[in-house]
Amino acid sequence: MSGTTAGDACELPAVTDAAACALPGAAPTVPGRIWVGPSQQERFGLLRRAKSVAIVGASNNPARASYFVVTYLLSSTAYDVYLVNPRETEILGRPVYASLGDLPVRPDIVDVFRRHDDLPGVAQEAIEAGARTLWLQLGSWNEDAAAIAEEAGLSVVMDRCIKIEHARFHGGLHLAGFDTGVISSRRQLLAR
């Protein structure tokens, strides 16, 4: 090798980007993001301890992500699920509440499907409702909302889907994000 000494040949290249060393599944480094969320084990603990989940921004539209999450939580978990949307009265045969303050319980987790600018206000509502965790869905990141919630003692999860996290922790999710229905690592033989 020309231009290198014996010692140089065995050295690792200098790392210029911290993301190059990130572990698989670690949150990507995004410029401007300062807040650091709970670890995988901490998120598992939040989901494990929770008994109730309030979905803020629940929708009656099957094409919406919130509708998909609601159907998953109702069919695949033991959580008491409460739906919050001032424009709806019923979704999937369940009552819908106008605000977190109208709920008959103190929700353990407040899962939020709202616009970015609404998130600090929802964080304040979650505090007033006595929630333990503010959970912002995929694509939702608001450090002001996180600061408001954490200052009041709430745990905060941002930019993560509660359905995906629950399914992943409970063995119901393929690496690609789909429920395979197969428990074995062997391929299923299909009858011809």
Side-chain angles (χ1 to χ4, degrees), residues 32-111:
R33 288 190 177 181
I34 298 168
W35 181 85
V36 177
S39 69
Q40 177 177 316
Q41 191 65 34
E42 291 167 330
R43 291 189 312 274
F44 175 71
L46 293 172
L47 291 172
R48 186 96 164 165
R49 289 186 298 274
K51 302 284 186 250
S52 60
V53 177
I55 308 290
V56 174
S59 174
N60 206 16
N61 181 348
R64 295 278 199 178
S66 64
Y67 185 91
F68 182 69
V69 169
V70 168
T71 59
Y72 172 82
L73 293 177
L74 290 173
S75 66
S76 301
T77 72
Y79 295 132
D80 293 326
V81 179
Y82 298 90
L83 310 177
V84 179
N85 185 332
R87 295 186 199 119
E88 300 284 348
T89 57
E90 185 179 288
I91 297 174
L92 294 168
R94 301 182 66 91
V96 179
Y97 299 89
S99 71
L100 288 170
D102 294 334
L103 295 178
V105 299
R106 299 168 90 181
D108 292 317
I109 297 175
V110 172
D111 186 22

Side-chain angles (χ1 to χ4, degrees), residues 12 15 52 60 64 79 82 109 129 139 148 157 182 187 189:
L12 294 174
V15 176
S52 60
N60 206 16
R64 295 278 199 178
Y79 295 132
Y82 298 90
I109 297 175
I148 291 166
V157 177
V182 177
R187 283 192 178 194
L189 296 177

